[in-house]
Amino acid sequence: MPDEEMDFMPIIPLNETEGENLDDTNIPEELPILPLRNTVLFPGVVIPITVGRDKSIKAVNESYKTDKMVGVLAQKDSSVEDPQITDLVEVGTVAKIIKLIKMPDGGTTVIIQGRKRFRMKKIITDEPYFRANIELLGEDNIVNDEHFDATVSSLKDLAAQIIHLSPNIPSEAAIILRNIENASFLIHFISSNLNSEVKEKQSLLEIDDLKKRSEKLMHLLQRELQFAELKNKVTTKTKTELDKQQREYFLQQQLKSIKEELGGDSNDRELQDMIKKGEAKKWPKAAKDLFQKEIEKLERMHPSTPDYSIVYNHVDLMLDLPWDEITKDNYDLKRSKKILDADHYGMNKIKERILEYLAVLKLKGDMKSPILCFVGPPGIGKTSLGKSIANAIGRKYVRLSLGGLHDESEIRGHRKTYIGAMAGRVIQSIRKVKSSNPVMILDEVDKVGKDFRGDPSSALLEVLDPEQNHSFYDNYLELEYDLSKVLFIATANDINTIQPALRDRMEIIELNGYAMKEKVEIAKRHLIPKQKEAHGLKDVNLNLNDKVIEEVIENYTRESGVRELDRQIASIMRSMAKDYAINGKVKSGLRVSDVHRILGKPRYSNEIYKNSPLPGIAVGLAWTYVGGDILFIESILSEGKGDLKLTGNLGNVMKESASTALTYLNANAKKLNIDQELFKKKDIHIHVPEGAVPKDGPSAGVTMLTALASAFTGRKVKPYLGMTGEITLRGLVLPVGGIKEKVLAAKRAGLKELILCWQNEKDVQEINSDFIKGMKFHYVKNMQQVLDLALS
């Protein structure tokens, strides 16, 4: 039979040592070079390759006609179609062409056997194909090495395990492996069939030391075995799960058939009850159609299927929602006013706004509910006022706490496809109160969070927009719901942290802190009766007169609201309850000395404002989200170069106010009788106590200038004097905000005189004159007036 017509060629050579024992003299020093794209040839291994490139076909044909020897080199990058000599690796294998087969499509398949490793020394020509000078690389003959023998044995075992775990490799491969005796050929055969990248195979071929090559191969085999085990585990697990699901499906179908024979079950009765409820429900057409569709879906599903509970819960929510169910408003304005006055002392502006809303409803019969936002310090009754409003107009009340909310889905709901999905908090609240027109309190709207899960503030835009909320879409409900009849009341401590677009949709009503007289009345009307009842003293004759309450307010609290006052009254009541439990009686009227005995020594004192022991200290007024507060500004001069140092955790605006004040004094030193040289020879240090508390804003400008002027002139600031206002480089005093809070804080602290901008006079006039009795106000236009009034 002619050589070209052989139709069978073994991949394993019949003589394993054939490739190894070839005499080096039979291999010429100059060989045609055959680039291989996706594989690496190892000595002794037989592989078939398809030759398609013109250069490669010429090289193979030319070699086949002569000594049938070619130098095989792997390409560095298999994507290169026409490789140059720089695209080939340097170390390859001398191969003998065993068989050349012409294919019907014009291509050529060549069966080659690796002989010896070689290194390419120099390229001779690249036309019509690559020819190069080569240097043969030898192999060490390892004899009687137990470590090497053990490695070879381990390689056989690892390869056998991979064959066993890989369904694509025929089991005969394991038999072939077991029958290979030559260690070198075994290493080369396994390396050739390794499921690794060409780079890793090439690195194996380039290792001269056979022992090191076997150790590297061991590492690669172990990695491949781990991958094969993991792949087999995943495949087995998936198959098991599919088998389990099929088994459950057949069992469920059988169970369904048995139940049908027995005449139905409890799930059918539940569905019938749902259908009856749905027929009695007054709801929009879209809701009715969706309900019908979901019921039909439930009838087709088996109760034990995973989707059944999802659809069931959705239908249950639709039935529970009060689609057109509203409570009737009480339009008796006198009664409403009486309830509001009984529940809360003061707050006239809010009460007037609610009565206006009721009046329009009474006259018109229908009106879009306003979106109100109560802004004020903690503890003044913003949240409880919402409940009082609900009682006054005869509506149901529900509270939605937004503090720390950071997921948009909490407002709009989760999509039903998620595990544990539920409707948004708005829809849940409506479902809870069973009314479409409740008073809904959105508590702490200024403390809504924002992160990668979404921005709840943006979701609230739809809820709080009267033009949009008649068709609020909840992702879980998958229907539009009318929220236009809901009276939304938001509460906040700091309006600046509310998103501007959200703030624009709300009617802001500012609530100021309570004055002394208001706190006394609140204590007498609400706090004392509440704490007496809470401590079992409801029927005991126990009274706190105005003087005692004022003592508690003045010396034991510093707040805009009444929470701390409530806690102090609770402490007094606990002490009284203990006395009553031990002695069976208590004093009917408490004295100031009793307050000191129960609550301890006074925590706060107004004496610190009486005298400024040193020049350079002034008292300012500040506004924080917890209300007004008193702020000391301290300044001192020391030897230096005229540097300004600011401490006390100050913000950028406050630092700029200090720089402005210093520049103004420097520019007007002569007019103010200040030695100009002081600004060059003295360092100025301004400190604002309570350094742990961040401070910012322009309102401390006049206070800083007064403190600096006092330090430079050596004149003390008048006692019991406070001030607030922004300053300019020209020495003008500008108005600031939060005047009522600041004035009430000054009154609480015992200050007797205040310096304010003349434009803030209107704000002072809005304060009840009884609350600021005994205080003197100075309204100024420029800093010269401030210094004339402040410095003694």
Side-chain angles (χ1 to χ4, degrees), residues 481-744:
Y481 194 88
D482 185 4
L483 297 176
S484 62
K485 296 181 179 67
V486 178
L487 175 54
F488 288 104
I489 298 176
T491 72
N493 296 131
D494 187 2
I495 195 172
N496 297 314
T497 57
I498 303 174
Q499 186 182 333
L502 182 60
R503 191 166 64 225
D504 184 56
R505 280 163 168 76
M506 300 187 291
E507 183 180 336
I508 306 295
I509 298 177
E510 292 191 1
L511 299 178
N512 298 306
Y514 295 118
M516 174 72 80
K517 184 179 177 183
E518 289 177 304
K519 288 185 178 181
V520 170
E521 285 298 321
I522 291 168
K524 286 160 67 176
R525 296 185 185 191
H526 302 286
L527 303 183
I528 293 172
K530 181 184 81 172
Q531 293 297 346
K532 281 181 69 176
E533 185 173 353
H535 292 85
L537 300 171
K538 185 179 179 180
D539 300 325
V540 177
N541 183 20
L542 175 62
N543 298 307
L544 275 69
N545 59 37
D546 291 3
K547 191 176 179 182
V548 169
I549 297 171
E550 286 173 8
E551 176 69 18
V552 174
I553 295 168
E554 193 169 311
N555 292 328
Y556 294 91
T557 66
R558 275 285 187 276
E559 59 176 346
S560 296
V562 291
R563 283 206 181 115
E564 185 62 28
L565 176 60
D566 191 31
R567 284 192 281 269
Q568 298 300 337
I569 291 172
S571 296
I572 292 171
M573 292 302 164
R574 283 197 298 274
S575 179
M576 292 296 100
K578 184 189 73 173
D579 292 346
Y580 189 76
I582 295 171
N583 304 321
K585 61 180 181 177
V586 291
K587 290 181 181 179
S588 59
L590 288 181
R591 294 194 298 268
V592 171
S593 58
D594 296 321
V595 172
H596 292 170
R597 176 179 57 81
I598 296 167
L599 300 180
K601 291 182 179 180
R603 298 181 186 176
Y604 306 98
S605 172
N606 295 332
E607 291 300 310
I608 56 172
Y609 309 108
K610 186 174 182 180
N611 291 308
S612 299
L614 296 169
I617 301 174
V619 179
L621 304 177
W623 183 89
T624 67
Y625 79 95
V626 293
D629 202 358
I630 300 301
L631 208 64
F632 277 96
I633 307 289
E634 300 177 349
S635 61
I636 195 167
L637 306 181
S638 58
E639 295 298 327
K641 299 177 182 178
D643 294 336
L644 174 64
K645 187 176 182 181
L646 301 167
T647 55
N649 205 350
L650 309 184
N652 289 332
V653 179
M654 211 162 178
K655 288 176 181 178
E656 288 165 5
S657 295
S659 299
T660 305
L662 184 61
T663 305
Y664 173 80
L665 285 177
N666 197 347
N668 296 274
K670 287 184 181 179
K671 191 193 297 184
L672 299 171
N673 296 321
I674 300 173
D675 184 1
Q676 196 83 40
E677 288 299 311
L678 290 174
F679 293 95
K680 298 176 184 177
K681 297 179 179 178
K682 297 285 186 181
D683 282 350
I684 304 102
H685 187 160
I686 297 176
H687 178 67
V688 184
E690 296 186 35
V693 181
K695 309 166 191 75
D696 205 3
S699 62
V702 293
T703 320
M704 284 187 164
L705 198 144
T706 303
L708 284 172
S710 173
F712 276 110
T713 60
R715 295 164 63 189
K716 293 182 181 180
V717 178
K718 290 179 182 177
Y720 293 113
L721 174 71
M723 60 194 77
T724 185
E726 184 177 355
I727 59 169
T728 69
L729 277 174
R730 294 171 295 157
L732 298 178
V733 179
L734 302 182
V736 291
I739 291 299
K740 182 178 180 183
E741 294 293 338
K742 292 175 180 178
V743 170
L744 293 178

Side-chain angles (χ1 to χ4, degrees), residues 423-442:
R425 301 269 286 275
V426 176
I427 293 296
Q428 285 185 47
S429 299
I430 296 286
R431 179 187 191 178
K432 185 169 74 174
V433 294
K434 303 285 185 186
S435 170
S436 286
N437 68 335
V439 173
M440 187 175 288
I441 302 296
L442 302 176

Side-chain angles (χ1 to χ4, degrees), residues 257-500:
S257 301
I258 293 167
K259 285 183 176 178
E260 284 174 358
E261 290 293 324
L262 294 172
D265 62 358
S266 60
N267 291 304
D268 294 332
R269 289 193 294 274
E270 280 185 3
L271 287 180
Q272 292 305 316
D273 290 342
M274 281 183 162
I275 292 168
K276 284 180 184 177
K277 285 181 183 177
E279 289 169 353
K281 203 89 175 162
K282 294 179 183 177
W283 45 19
K285 186 178 184 302
K288 190 174 184 180
D289 292 345
L290 182 61
F291 173 77
Q292 196 63 41
K293 187 179 173 184
E294 297 285 81
I295 286 291
E296 289 171 4
K297 220 186 266 186
L298 282 175
E299 288 175 338
R300 291 194 302 270
M301 293 166 72
H302 193 273
S304 57
T305 55
D307 285 348
Y308 185 89
S309 61
I310 295 172
V311 179
Y312 182 90
N313 290 335
H314 185 238
V315 172
D316 193 40
L317 172 65
M318 291 177 67
L319 287 171
D320 280 353
L321 283 173
W323 292 90
D324 276 328
E325 300 169 26
I326 58 173
T327 53
K328 190 175 180 182
D329 290 340
N330 190 324
Y331 297 133
D332 187 343
L333 269 63
K334 290 181 180 178
R335 174 185 169 275
S336 299
K337 188 174 187 308
K338 191 175 180 182
I339 291 173
L340 291 171
D341 286 339
D343 290 346
H344 290 82
Y345 183 80
M347 298 188 179
N348 295 322
K349 190 188 288 187
I350 293 179
K351 292 174 182 176
E352 285 299 316
R353 182 66 186 85
I354 297 301
L355 293 174
E356 287 168 5
Y357 168 65
L358 282 175
V360 175
L361 271 180
K362 183 176 182 179
L363 296 174
K364 188 172 178 286
D366 184 30
M367 178 192 177
K368 284 183 179 176
S369 296
I371 314 292
L372 304 178
C373 181
F374 300 160
V375 178
I380 60 172
K382 297 184 296 296
T383 307
S384 60
L385 184 61
K387 193 167 188 178
S388 179
I389 290 168
N391 292 335
I393 61 179
R395 290 193 183 185
K396 292 187 176 179
Y397 164 86
V398 63
R399 176 177 161 274
L400 197 63
S401 180
L402 300 177
L405 197 74
H406 47 66
D407 192 348
E408 174 204 351
S409 300
E410 291 283 341
I411 304 295
R412 282 211 182 102
H414 304 78
R415 300 195 184 280
K416 286 193 297 182
T417 49
Y418 296 118
I419 295 172
M422 60 179 71
R425 301 269 286 275
V426 176
I427 293 296
Q428 285 185 47
S429 299
I430 296 286
R431 179 187 191 178
K432 185 169 74 174
V433 294
K434 303 285 185 186
S435 170
S436 286
N437 68 335
V439 173
M440 187 175 288
I441 302 296
L442 302 176
D443 215 6
E444 311 292 1
V445 75
D446 58 327
K447 297 176 184 64
V448 174
K450 177 182 179 181
D451 62 10
F452 63 92
R453 283 165 286 198
D455 182 6
S457 295
S458 300
L460 282 170
L461 296 178
E462 184 184 1
V463 177
L464 298 180
D465 191 340
E467 300 301 320
Q468 296 181 44
N469 65 10
H470 64 278
S471 57
F472 171 71
Y473 186 85
D474 186 274
N475 291 327
Y476 183 83
L477 184 61
E478 294 181 342
L479 283 169
E480 292 181 345
Y481 194 88
D482 185 4
L483 297 176
S484 62
K485 296 181 179 67
V486 178
L487 175 54
F488 288 104
I489 298 176
T491 72
N493 296 131
D494 187 2
I495 195 172
N496 297 314
T497 57
I498 303 174
Q499 186 182 333

